[in-house]
Amino acid sequence: MIALVDCDSFYASCERIFRPDLEGKPVVVLSNNDGCVIARSREAKALGIPMGVPYFKVRETIAKNDVAVFSSNYALYQDISSRVLETIRHFCPEAEPYSIDESFLVLDSLKSSDEIAFAKRLRRSIKRFVGIPVSIGIGQTKTLAKIATKLAKEAKEGIYDIAAQKDPDSVLAGIDVEDVWGIGRRQSKKLRAIRIRTACDLKYAEEGWIKKHLSVVGLKTVYELRGLRCFGFREVPDNRKSICVSRSLGVYLTSYDELSQAVAFYASLASEKLRAQRSLTDTVTTYIATSFHTDDFYWGTRTIRLETPKNDTPSLVKAALEGLKLAYIEGKKYKRVGVLFTEITPYEVQQRGLFCDTGQSVKLNALMHIIDKINFEANKPMIWLAAGGKPNSQKWVASASMRSPRYTSYWDEIPLVKV
């Protein structure tokens, strides 16, 4: 059997760990620059606050119902996610992190009578050790575990074993086909056109038609609904095929100098992520955009190809700034900046250029390693590229006026207990 552990209202639950006074009260978390609602507690959902709605549209509802509002605090969320995963692996070493708030577990070593007891013990332990409530779904495959987790959120004990049901098909008949893991909106339209409306309908769909119209991945989903494992299990996630750092700006920028500082800063962040997974890139894309709500909306993007794949900050920042020069149009008010790395390859299989200075490359790699180590141990930028400006002093940094303290990862923000 496979289980899926899903943290309930994860971002909102992270905020409640250090704010127990918010237990049972509505909580929402906003996106970068406090633009849109990206997370809601159950109480906030009950108020009718939709996901992704612009903050200004629900400001009145939030004020009227005394909803607690937080800016995104990704340093806190990532650390709490790591603690949840560490607790899970203490109980089940075969755990695959799927997202920041979800992990798959292989329960093959357990007897069927022990699965629910195991899930109850794990759920209690995560709540006790980390403070996060979770829902656990159990099924023969990842797809069935996903469906079971959806049902577990409504179950009294937060646990649902779809294989233990007397009539699993009746359970699948209550799941809309678009809610099946891996079936997107476009695919669900094709399926509904031939009267495949539920997960049960999809389970018994004609294989030839599925393979032709939904590809091999769609056929694997059908098999998974039938209880046959088709999607692999990875305890260590694959490296990213692309890396993007994109932000809404705190203020409108018009001058090239100001934009170049933002591009250099975000390219530096992206290069750190690239080195963290021991990868290289030879394709750097820079894009800038004005506000979507203006009449003269502009989205400028340019891609620069490097002669050989690299991962050092100076080379990648230089390429990103070359792209900015080509994309920049004077006189416009820019509200968004982003840097994207594609064509990513492992460091171990890099192809060097014919005239590459090997000695210089070795020195540069050593320098990047030392800088990354210093910044990682300090948990904040101690050494940075001057082109990106001094961290925490750029006027264009997105607003996060309602961000809670980074309780677990910054020394000067650790909570104090009065005795």
mmCIF file of all heavy atoms in Angstrom, residues 267-316:
data_model
loop_
_atom_site.group_PDB
_atom_site.id
_atom_site.type_symbol
_atom_site.label_atom_id
_atom_site.label_comp_id
_atom_site.label_asym_id
_atom_site.label_seq_id
_atom_site.Cartn_x
_atom_site.Cartn_y
_atom_site.Cartn_z
ATOM 1 N N ALA A 267 19.078 36.935 -10.624
ATOM 2 C CA ALA A 267 19.965 35.985 -11.310
ATOM 3 C C ALA A 267 20.931 35.353 -10.318
ATOM 4 O O ALA A 267 21.280 34.169 -10.433
ATOM 5 C CB ALA A 267 20.724 36.688 -12.425
ATOM 6 N N SER A 268 21.362 36.124 -9.324
ATOM 7 C CA SER A 268 22.240 35.588 -8.278
ATOM 8 C C SER A 268 21.525 34.514 -7.465
ATOM 9 O O SER A 268 22.092 33.458 -7.160
ATOM 10 C CB SER A 268 22.709 36.713 -7.352
ATOM 11 O OG SER A 268 23.476 37.672 -8.049
ATOM 12 N N LEU A 269 20.258 34.774 -7.121
ATOM 13 C CA LEU A 269 19.486 33.786 -6.375
ATOM 14 C C LEU A 269 19.303 32.506 -7.185
ATOM 15 O O LEU A 269 19.417 31.395 -6.654
ATOM 16 C CB LEU A 269 18.112 34.364 -6.001
ATOM 17 C CG LEU A 269 18.078 35.538 -5.022
ATOM 18 C CD1 LEU A 269 16.650 35.978 -4.773
ATOM 19 C CD2 LEU A 269 18.749 35.153 -3.702
ATOM 20 N N ALA A 270 19.014 32.666 -8.474
ATOM 21 C CA ALA A 270 18.824 31.496 -9.336
ATOM 22 C C ALA A 270 20.105 30.686 -9.469
ATOM 23 O O ALA A 270 20.083 29.451 -9.503
ATOM 24 C CB ALA A 270 18.322 31.940 -10.711
ATOM 25 N N SER A 271 21.252 31.369 -9.545
ATOM 26 C CA SER A 271 22.526 30.659 -9.677
ATOM 27 C C SER A 271 22.844 29.861 -8.416
ATOM 28 O O SER A 271 23.439 28.778 -8.495
ATOM 29 C CB SER A 271 23.656 31.651 -9.989
ATOM 30 O OG SER A 271 23.882 32.529 -8.904
ATOM 31 N N GLU A 272 22.436 30.362 -7.246
ATOM 32 C CA GLU A 272 22.619 29.609 -6.000
ATOM 33 C C GLU A 272 21.820 28.309 -6.040
ATOM 34 O O GLU A 272 22.306 27.249 -5.633
ATOM 35 C CB GLU A 272 22.190 30.458 -4.801
ATOM 36 C CG GLU A 272 23.130 31.607 -4.474
ATOM 37 C CD GLU A 272 22.645 32.411 -3.289
ATOM 38 O OE1 GLU A 272 21.650 31.984 -2.647
ATOM 39 O OE2 GLU A 272 23.235 33.458 -2.994
ATOM 40 N N LYS A 273 20.590 28.387 -6.537
ATOM 41 C CA LYS A 273 19.758 27.181 -6.648
ATOM 42 C C LYS A 273 20.361 26.197 -7.638
ATOM 43 O O LYS A 273 20.309 24.983 -7.426
ATOM 44 C CB LYS A 273 18.337 27.566 -7.089
ATOM 45 C CG LYS A 273 17.579 28.410 -6.077
ATOM 46 C CD LYS A 273 16.177 28.693 -6.556
ATOM 47 C CE LYS A 273 15.396 29.514 -5.537
ATOM 48 N NZ LYS A 273 14.000 29.760 -5.976
ATOM 49 N N LEU A 274 20.933 26.713 -8.711
ATOM 50 C CA LEU A 274 21.550 25.860 -9.718
ATOM 51 C C LEU A 274 22.738 25.107 -9.129
ATOM 52 O O LEU A 274 22.893 23.899 -9.347
ATOM 53 C CB LEU A 274 21.996 26.728 -10.901
ATOM 54 C CG LEU A 274 22.483 26.003 -12.155
ATOM 55 C CD1 LEU A 274 21.352 25.230 -12.813
ATOM 56 C CD2 LEU A 274 23.084 27.006 -13.144
ATOM 57 N N ARG A 275 23.579 25.809 -8.376
ATOM 58 C CA ARG A 275 24.736 25.158 -7.766
ATOM 59 C C ARG A 275 24.319 24.183 -6.668
ATOM 60 O O ARG A 275 24.989 23.165 -6.450
ATOM 61 C CB ARG A 275 25.703 26.211 -7.199
ATOM 62 C CG ARG A 275 26.403 27.042 -8.260
ATOM 63 C CD ARG A 275 27.535 27.854 -7.663
ATOM 64 N NE ARG A 275 27.061 28.869 -6.730
ATOM 65 C CZ ARG A 275 26.669 30.087 -7.058
ATOM 66 N NH1 ARG A 275 26.677 30.450 -8.329
ATOM 67 N NH2 ARG A 275 26.275 30.949 -6.146
ATOM 68 N N ALA A 276 23.228 24.477 -5.977
ATOM 69 C CA ALA A 276 22.777 23.606 -4.892
ATOM 70 C C ALA A 276 22.418 22.216 -5.397
ATOM 71 O O ALA A 276 22.565 21.230 -4.670
ATOM 72 C CB ALA A 276 21.572 24.232 -4.179
ATOM 73 N N GLN A 277 21.954 22.121 -6.654
ATOM 74 C CA GLN A 277 21.643 20.803 -7.207
ATOM 75 C C GLN A 277 22.748 20.307 -8.145
ATOM 76 O O GLN A 277 22.539 19.395 -8.924
ATOM 77 C CB GLN A 277 20.297 20.826 -7.942
ATOM 78 C CG GLN A 277 20.262 21.665 -9.207
ATOM 79 C CD GLN A 277 18.950 21.523 -9.953
ATOM 80 O OE1 GLN A 277 17.881 21.428 -9.350
ATOM 81 N NE2 GLN A 277 19.008 21.482 -11.271
ATOM 82 N N ARG A 278 23.911 20.939 -8.071
ATOM 83 C CA ARG A 278 25.103 20.549 -8.845
ATOM 84 C C ARG A 278 24.772 20.449 -10.335
ATOM 85 O O ARG A 278 24.943 19.409 -10.969
ATOM 86 C CB ARG A 278 25.670 19.225 -8.327
ATOM 87 C CG ARG A 278 26.326 19.340 -6.962
ATOM 88 C CD ARG A 278 27.032 18.049 -6.554
ATOM 89 N NE ARG A 278 28.039 17.652 -7.531
ATOM 90 C CZ ARG A 278 29.252 18.165 -7.611
ATOM 91 N NH1 ARG A 278 29.620 19.140 -6.791
ATOM 92 N NH2 ARG A 278 30.121 17.726 -8.517
ATOM 93 N N SER A 279 24.280 21.551 -10.863
ATOM 94 C CA SER A 279 23.902 21.589 -12.278
ATOM 95 C C SER A 279 24.505 22.803 -12.968
ATOM 96 O O SER A 279 25.031 23.719 -12.313
ATOM 97 C CB SER A 279 22.368 21.617 -12.426
ATOM 98 O OG SER A 279 21.787 20.457 -11.893
ATOM 99 N N LEU A 280 24.400 22.801 -14.294
ATOM 100 C CA LEU A 280 24.890 23.887 -15.137
ATOM 101 C C LEU A 280 23.798 24.283 -16.120
ATOM 102 O O LEU A 280 22.871 23.514 -16.388
ATOM 103 C CB LEU A 280 26.128 23.443 -15.919
ATOM 104 C CG LEU A 280 27.311 22.865 -15.129
ATOM 105 C CD1 LEU A 280 28.207 22.062 -16.064
ATOM 106 C CD2 LEU A 280 28.113 23.977 -14.472
ATOM 107 N N THR A 281 23.916 25.474 -16.664
ATOM 108 C CA THR A 281 22.981 25.910 -17.705
ATOM 109 C C THR A 281 23.721 26.701 -18.770
ATOM 110 O O THR A 281 24.730 27.358 -18.475
ATOM 111 C CB THR A 281 21.849 26.770 -17.121
ATOM 112 O OG1 THR A 281 20.934 27.124 -18.171
ATOM 113 C CG2 THR A 281 22.390 28.063 -16.518
ATOM 114 N N ASP A 282 23.217 26.643 -19.993
ATOM 115 C CA ASP A 282 23.787 27.482 -21.054
ATOM 116 C C ASP A 282 22.724 28.379 -21.681
ATOM 117 O O ASP A 282 22.957 29.020 -22.697
ATOM 118 C CB ASP A 282 24.460 26.622 -22.131
ATOM 119 C CG ASP A 282 23.472 25.744 -22.881
ATOM 120 O OD1 ASP A 282 22.265 25.770 -22.556
ATOM 121 O OD2 ASP A 282 23.907 25.026 -23.801
ATOM 122 N N THR A 283 21.522 28.429 -21.065
ATOM 123 C CA THR A 283 20.419 29.228 -21.609
ATOM 124 C C THR A 283 19.821 30.088 -20.509
ATOM 125 O O THR A 283 19.250 29.568 -19.541
ATOM 126 C CB THR A 283 19.333 28.317 -22.211
ATOM 127 O OG1 THR A 283 19.934 27.433 -23.159
ATOM 128 C CG2 THR A 283 18.266 29.144 -22.897
ATOM 129 N N VAL A 284 19.958 31.399 -20.648
ATOM 130 C CA VAL A 284 19.480 32.349 -19.643
ATOM 131 C C VAL A 284 18.441 33.269 -20.282
ATOM 132 O O VAL A 284 18.736 33.955 -21.263
ATOM 133 C CB VAL A 284 20.639 33.184 -19.071
ATOM 134 C CG1 VAL A 284 20.122 34.184 -18.035
ATOM 135 C CG2 VAL A 284 21.703 32.279 -18.465
ATOM 136 N N THR A 285 17.244 33.272 -19.716
ATOM 137 C CA THR A 285 16.163 34.115 -20.228
ATOM 138 C C THR A 285 15.820 35.187 -19.203
ATOM 139 O O THR A 285 15.617 34.878 -18.030
ATOM 140 C CB THR A 285 14.910 33.289 -20.543
ATOM 141 O OG1 THR A 285 15.223 32.298 -21.528
ATOM 142 C CG2 THR A 285 13.785 34.170 -21.054
ATOM 143 N N THR A 286 15.764 36.424 -19.647
ATOM 144 C CA THR A 286 15.375 37.545 -18.790
ATOM 145 C C THR A 286 14.046 38.096 -19.285
ATOM 146 O O THR A 286 13.848 38.250 -20.494
ATOM 147 C CB THR A 286 16.425 38.671 -18.841
ATOM 148 O OG1 THR A 286 17.706 38.126 -18.502
ATOM 149 C CG2 THR A 286 16.068 39.791 -17.879
ATOM 150 N N TYR A 287 13.139 38.365 -18.361
ATOM 151 C CA TYR A 287 11.895 39.015 -18.789
ATOM 152 C C TYR A 287 11.501 40.112 -17.817
ATOM 153 O O TYR A 287 11.783 40.050 -16.620
ATOM 154 C CB TYR A 287 10.755 38.005 -18.978
ATOM 155 C CG TYR A 287 10.275 37.307 -17.734
ATOM 156 C CD1 TYR A 287 9.340 37.901 -16.889
ATOM 157 C CD2 TYR A 287 10.732 36.037 -17.414
ATOM 158 C CE1 TYR A 287 8.883 37.252 -15.768
ATOM 159 C CE2 TYR A 287 10.280 35.379 -16.292
ATOM 160 C CZ TYR A 287 9.344 35.992 -15.469
ATOM 161 O OH TYR A 287 8.899 35.340 -14.348
ATOM 162 N N ILE A 288 10.884 41.133 -18.364
ATOM 163 C CA ILE A 288 10.375 42.267 -17.591
ATOM 164 C C ILE A 288 8.973 42.558 -18.075
ATOM 165 O O ILE A 288 8.637 42.312 -19.245
ATOM 166 C CB ILE A 288 11.269 43.523 -17.765
ATOM 167 C CG1 ILE A 288 11.512 43.812 -19.248
ATOM 168 C CG2 ILE A 288 12.585 43.345 -17.034
ATOM 169 C CD1 ILE A 288 12.341 45.063 -19.501
ATOM 170 N N ALA A 289 8.121 43.054 -17.182
ATOM 171 C CA ALA A 289 6.732 43.291 -17.567
ATOM 172 C C ALA A 289 6.166 44.485 -16.812
ATOM 173 O O ALA A 289 6.546 44.755 -15.668
ATOM 174 C CB ALA A 289 5.881 42.056 -17.297
ATOM 175 N N THR A 290 5.260 45.174 -17.456
ATOM 176 C CA THR A 290 4.507 46.239 -16.797
ATOM 177 C C THR A 290 3.306 45.603 -16.107
ATOM 178 O O THR A 290 3.102 44.396 -16.185
ATOM 179 C CB THR A 290 4.036 47.286 -17.813
ATOM 180 O OG1 THR A 290 3.211 46.644 -18.804
ATOM 181 C CG2 THR A 290 5.222 47.941 -18.515
ATOM 182 N N SER A 291 2.498 46.405 -15.446
ATOM 183 C CA SER A 291 1.323 45.886 -14.749
ATOM 184 C C SER A 291 0.305 45.346 -15.750
ATOM 185 O O SER A 291 0.088 45.923 -16.824
ATOM 186 C CB SER A 291 0.680 46.980 -13.896
ATOM 187 O OG SER A 291 -0.553 46.537 -13.366
ATOM 188 N N PHE A 292 -0.332 44.216 -15.392
ATOM 189 C CA PHE A 292 -1.358 43.640 -16.259
ATOM 190 C C PHE A 292 -2.570 44.559 -16.389
ATOM 191 O O PHE A 292 -3.363 44.426 -17.318
ATOM 192 C CB PHE A 292 -1.822 42.290 -15.687
ATOM 193 C CG PHE A 292 -0.777 41.228 -15.762
ATOM 194 C CD1 PHE A 292 -0.095 40.828 -14.626
ATOM 195 C CD2 PHE A 292 -0.458 40.610 -16.961
ATOM 196 C CE1 PHE A 292 0.877 39.839 -14.680
ATOM 197 C CE2 PHE A 292 0.511 39.627 -17.030
ATOM 198 C CZ PHE A 292 1.180 39.238 -15.888
ATOM 199 N N HIS A 293 -2.717 45.470 -15.438
ATOM 200 C CA HIS A 293 -3.922 46.300 -15.398
ATOM 201 C C HIS A 293 -3.773 47.615 -16.165
ATOM 202 O O HIS A 293 -4.656 48.467 -16.099
ATOM 203 C CB HIS A 293 -4.292 46.588 -13.934
ATOM 204 C CG HIS A 293 -4.429 45.354 -13.094
ATOM 205 N ND1 HIS A 293 -5.467 44.452 -13.254
ATOM 206 C CD2 HIS A 293 -3.655 44.862 -12.090
ATOM 207 C CE1 HIS A 293 -5.330 43.460 -12.384
ATOM 208 N NE2 HIS A 293 -4.234 43.689 -11.672
ATOM 209 N N THR A 294 -2.672 47.799 -16.864
ATOM 210 C CA THR A 294 -2.477 49.025 -17.643
ATOM 211 C C THR A 294 -2.831 48.796 -19.108
ATOM 212 O O THR A 294 -2.768 47.668 -19.616
ATOM 213 C CB THR A 294 -1.009 49.495 -17.544
ATOM 214 O OG1 THR A 294 -0.149 48.446 -18.008
ATOM 215 C CG2 THR A 294 -0.658 49.837 -16.100
ATOM 216 N N ASP A 295 -3.179 49.861 -19.791
ATOM 217 C CA ASP A 295 -3.576 49.757 -21.201
ATOM 218 C C ASP A 295 -2.383 49.437 -22.100
ATOM 219 O O ASP A 295 -2.534 48.753 -23.120
ATOM 220 C CB ASP A 295 -4.236 51.073 -21.664
ATOM 221 C CG ASP A 295 -5.554 51.327 -20.937
ATOM 222 O OD1 ASP A 295 -6.198 50.338 -20.538
ATOM 223 O OD2 ASP A 295 -5.921 52.497 -20.773
ATOM 224 N N ASP A 296 -1.199 49.936 -21.745
ATOM 225 C CA ASP A 296 -0.020 49.705 -22.581
ATOM 226 C C ASP A 296 0.824 48.554 -22.028
ATOM 227 O O ASP A 296 2.053 48.663 -21.906
ATOM 228 C CB ASP A 296 0.820 50.978 -22.692
ATOM 229 C CG ASP A 296 1.333 51.430 -21.322
ATOM 230 O OD1 ASP A 296 0.742 51.026 -20.294
ATOM 231 O OD2 ASP A 296 2.338 52.166 -21.289
ATOM 232 N N PHE A 297 0.166 47.438 -21.673
ATOM 233 C CA PHE A 297 0.873 46.294 -21.087
ATOM 234 C C PHE A 297 1.987 45.824 -22.013
ATOM 235 O O PHE A 297 1.815 45.691 -23.220
ATOM 236 C CB PHE A 297 -0.106 45.143 -20.837
ATOM 237 C CG PHE A 297 0.575 43.869 -20.419
ATOM 238 C CD1 PHE A 297 1.173 43.756 -19.171
ATOM 239 C CD2 PHE A 297 0.649 42.795 -21.291
ATOM 240 C CE1 PHE A 297 1.819 42.598 -18.790
ATOM 241 C CE2 PHE A 297 1.287 41.622 -20.918
ATOM 242 C CZ PHE A 297 1.866 41.517 -19.659
ATOM 243 N N TYR A 298 3.150 45.579 -21.404
ATOM 244 C CA TYR A 298 4.310 45.129 -22.183
ATOM 245 C C TYR A 298 4.992 43.989 -21.450
ATOM 246 O O TYR A 298 5.243 44.050 -20.242
ATOM 247 C CB TYR A 298 5.302 46.281 -22.370
ATOM 248 C CG TYR A 298 6.636 45.842 -22.950
ATOM 249 C CD1 TYR A 298 6.753 45.449 -24.285
ATOM 250 C CD2 TYR A 298 7.775 45.818 -22.144
ATOM 251 C CE1 TYR A 298 7.970 45.033 -24.808
ATOM 252 C CE2 TYR A 298 9.005 45.423 -22.664
ATOM 253 C CZ TYR A 298 9.091 45.026 -23.995
ATOM 254 O OH TYR A 298 10.296 44.612 -24.506
ATOM 255 N N TRP A 299 5.273 42.936 -22.180
ATOM 256 C CA TRP A 299 6.016 41.789 -21.653
ATOM 257 C C TRP A 299 7.224 41.593 -22.555
ATOM 258 O O TRP A 299 7.111 41.159 -23.690
ATOM 259 C CB TRP A 299 5.143 40.550 -21.643
ATOM 260 C CG TRP A 299 5.831 39.310 -21.108
ATOM 261 C CD1 TRP A 299 6.745 38.535 -21.760
ATOM 262 C CD2 TRP A 299 5.659 38.704 -19.833
ATOM 263 N NE1 TRP A 299 7.159 37.501 -20.980
ATOM 264 C CE2 TRP A 299 6.506 37.561 -19.770
ATOM 265 C CE3 TRP A 299 4.877 39.014 -18.721
ATOM 266 C CZ2 TRP A 299 6.578 36.736 -18.663
ATOM 267 C CZ3 TRP A 299 4.946 38.175 -17.617
ATOM 268 C CH2 TRP A 299 5.784 37.063 -17.591
ATOM 269 N N GLY A 300 8.401 41.938 -22.029
ATOM 270 C CA GLY A 300 9.615 41.817 -22.826
ATOM 271 C C GLY A 300 10.466 40.662 -22.352
ATOM 272 O O GLY A 300 10.730 40.519 -21.156
ATOM 273 N N THR A 301 10.893 39.811 -23.268
ATOM 274 C CA THR A 301 11.713 38.663 -22.892
ATOM 275 C C THR A 301 12.793 38.421 -23.942
ATOM 276 O O THR A 301 12.526 38.532 -25.146
ATOM 277 C CB THR A 301 10.847 37.394 -22.725
ATOM 278 O OG1 THR A 301 11.683 36.285 -22.420
ATOM 279 C CG2 THR A 301 10.047 37.103 -23.971
ATOM 280 N N ARG A 302 13.990 38.114 -23.479
ATOM 281 C CA ARG A 302 15.110 37.820 -24.373
ATOM 282 C C ARG A 302 15.925 36.675 -23.775
ATOM 283 O O ARG A 302 16.108 36.581 -22.563
ATOM 284 C CB ARG A 302 16.013 39.042 -24.565
ATOM 285 C CG ARG A 302 15.378 40.171 -25.329
ATOM 286 C CD ARG A 302 15.080 39.802 -26.779
ATOM 287 N NE ARG A 302 14.595 40.943 -27.547
ATOM 288 C CZ ARG A 302 13.328 41.325 -27.612
ATOM 289 N NH1 ARG A 302 12.411 40.650 -26.914
ATOM 290 N NH2 ARG A 302 12.970 42.361 -28.334
ATOM 291 N N THR A 303 16.429 35.816 -24.657
ATOM 292 C CA THR A 303 17.206 34.650 -24.229
ATOM 293 C C THR A 303 18.640 34.759 -24.738
ATOM 294 O O THR A 303 18.869 35.084 -25.905
ATOM 295 C CB THR A 303 16.569 33.355 -24.751
ATOM 296 O OG1 THR A 303 15.245 33.221 -24.201
ATOM 297 C CG2 THR A 303 17.400 32.138 -24.349
ATOM 298 N N ILE A 304 19.583 34.491 -23.860
ATOM 299 C CA ILE A 304 21.005 34.518 -24.189
ATOM 300 C C ILE A 304 21.574 33.109 -24.039
ATOM 301 O O ILE A 304 21.349 32.441 -23.030
ATOM 302 C CB ILE A 304 21.774 35.484 -23.258
ATOM 303 C CG1 ILE A 304 21.187 36.901 -23.358
ATOM 304 C CG2 ILE A 304 23.259 35.486 -23.590
ATOM 305 C CD1 ILE A 304 21.294 37.528 -24.724
ATOM 306 N N ARG A 305 22.306 32.651 -25.056
ATOM 307 C CA ARG A 305 22.949 31.348 -25.016
ATOM 308 C C ARG A 305 24.430 31.520 -24.721
ATOM 309 O O ARG A 305 25.119 32.319 -25.366
ATOM 310 C CB ARG A 305 22.774 30.612 -26.351
ATOM 311 C CG ARG A 305 21.335 30.250 -26.702
ATOM 312 C CD ARG A 305 20.762 29.235 -25.732
ATOM 313 N NE ARG A 305 21.507 27.988 -25.728
ATOM 314 C CZ ARG A 305 21.192 26.938 -26.487
ATOM 315 N NH1 ARG A 305 20.161 26.998 -27.318
ATOM 316 N NH2 ARG A 305 21.913 25.832 -26.427
ATOM 317 N N LEU A 306 24.914 30.768 -23.747
ATOM 318 C CA LEU A 306 26.329 30.796 -23.396
ATOM 319 C C LEU A 306 27.109 29.816 -24.265
ATOM 320 O O LEU A 306 26.562 28.825 -24.762
ATOM 321 C CB LEU A 306 26.504 30.420 -21.919
ATOM 322 C CG LEU A 306 25.719 31.269 -20.899
ATOM 323 C CD1 LEU A 306 25.929 30.724 -19.492
ATOM 324 C CD2 LEU A 306 26.141 32.721 -20.968
ATOM 325 N N GLU A 307 28.390 30.076 -24.447
ATOM 326 C CA GLU A 307 29.220 29.183 -25.260
ATOM 327 C C GLU A 307 29.342 27.808 -24.621
ATOM 328 O O GLU A 307 29.334 26.786 -25.310
ATOM 329 C CB GLU A 307 30.613 29.798 -25.450
ATOM 330 C CG GLU A 307 30.625 31.053 -26.326
ATOM 331 C CD GLU A 307 32.031 31.571 -26.539
ATOM 332 O OE1 GLU A 307 32.990 30.930 -26.034
ATOM 333 O OE2 GLU A 307 32.188 32.601 -27.220
ATOM 334 N N THR A 308 29.472 27.773 -23.294
ATOM 335 C CA THR A 308 29.546 26.513 -22.562
ATOM 336 C C THR A 308 28.662 26.629 -21.319
ATOM 337 O O THR A 308 28.455 27.722 -20.796
ATOM 338 C CB THR A 308 30.990 26.195 -22.107
ATOM 339 O OG1 THR A 308 31.478 27.277 -21.313
ATOM 340 C CG2 THR A 308 31.899 25.992 -23.319
ATOM 341 N N PRO A 309 28.114 25.520 -20.820
ATOM 342 C CA PRO A 309 27.270 25.560 -19.615
ATOM 343 C C PRO A 309 28.052 26.064 -18.406
ATOM 344 O O PRO A 309 29.217 25.708 -18.211
ATOM 345 C CB PRO A 309 26.852 24.097 -19.435
ATOM 346 C CG PRO A 309 26.997 23.479 -20.790
ATOM 347 C CD PRO A 309 28.167 24.166 -21.418
ATOM 348 N N LYS A 310 27.418 26.888 -17.584
ATOM 349 C CA LYS A 310 28.051 27.466 -16.398
ATOM 350 C C LYS A 310 27.071 27.485 -15.231
ATOM 351 O O LYS A 310 25.862 27.364 -15.419
ATOM 352 C CB LYS A 310 28.538 28.886 -16.688
ATOM 353 C CG LYS A 310 29.609 28.995 -17.780
ATOM 354 C CD LYS A 310 30.023 30.437 -18.010
ATOM 355 C CE LYS A 310 31.068 30.555 -19.113
ATOM 356 N NZ LYS A 310 32.347 29.911 -18.745
ATOM 357 N N ASN A 311 27.615 27.701 -14.034
ATOM 358 C CA ASN A 311 26.751 27.905 -12.871
ATOM 359 C C ASN A 311 27.294 28.985 -11.926
ATOM 360 O O ASN A 311 26.766 29.177 -10.834
ATOM 361 C CB ASN A 311 26.540 26.598 -12.101
ATOM 362 C CG ASN A 311 27.818 26.056 -11.468
ATOM 363 O OD1 ASN A 311 28.857 26.724 -11.454
ATOM 364 N ND2 ASN A 311 27.745 24.838 -10.945
ATOM 365 N N ASP A 312 28.351 29.686 -12.334
ATOM 366 C CA ASP A 312 28.896 30.743 -11.472
ATOM 367 C C ASP A 312 28.074 32.017 -11.615
ATOM 368 O O ASP A 312 27.569 32.341 -12.693
ATOM 369 C CB ASP A 312 30.364 31.008 -11.808
ATOM 370 C CG ASP A 312 30.557 31.556 -13.204
ATOM 371 O OD1 ASP A 312 30.601 30.748 -14.157
ATOM 372 O OD2 ASP A 312 30.634 32.798 -13.354
ATOM 373 N N THR A 313 27.958 32.727 -10.527
ATOM 374 C CA THR A 313 27.116 33.926 -10.489
ATOM 375 C C THR A 313 27.548 35.015 -11.477
ATOM 376 O O THR A 313 26.705 35.552 -12.199
ATOM 377 C CB THR A 313 27.076 34.495 -9.057
ATOM 378 O OG1 THR A 313 26.508 33.516 -8.179
ATOM 379 C CG2 THR A 313 26.235 35.753 -8.992
ATOM 380 N N PRO A 314 28.830 35.381 -11.565
ATOM 381 C CA PRO A 314 29.217 36.452 -12.498
ATOM 382 C C PRO A 314 28.817 36.170 -13.945
ATOM 383 O O PRO A 314 28.293 37.052 -14.632
ATOM 384 C CB PRO A 314 30.738 36.518 -12.343
ATOM 385 C CG PRO A 314 31.002 36.030 -10.961
ATOM 386 C CD PRO A 314 29.996 34.943 -10.745
ATOM 387 N N SER A 315 29.031 34.948 -14.422
ATOM 388 C CA SER A 315 28.704 34.618 -15.815
ATOM 389 C C SER A 315 27.204 34.677 -16.065
ATOM 390 O O SER A 315 26.754 35.198 -17.095
ATOM 391 C CB SER A 315 29.233 33.223 -16.161
ATOM 392 O OG SER A 315 30.639 33.164 -16.068
ATOM 393 N N LEU A 316 26.425 34.151 -15.139
ATOM 394 C CA LEU A 316 24.977 34.104 -15.334
ATOM 395 C C LEU A 316 24.339 35.478 -15.170
ATOM 396 O O LEU A 316 23.387 35.822 -15.875
ATOM 397 C CB LEU A 316 24.361 33.099 -14.362
ATOM 398 C CG LEU A 316 24.839 31.646 -14.556
ATOM 399 C CD1 LEU A 316 24.224 30.729 -13.519
ATOM 400 C CD2 LEU A 316 24.505 31.155 -15.963
#
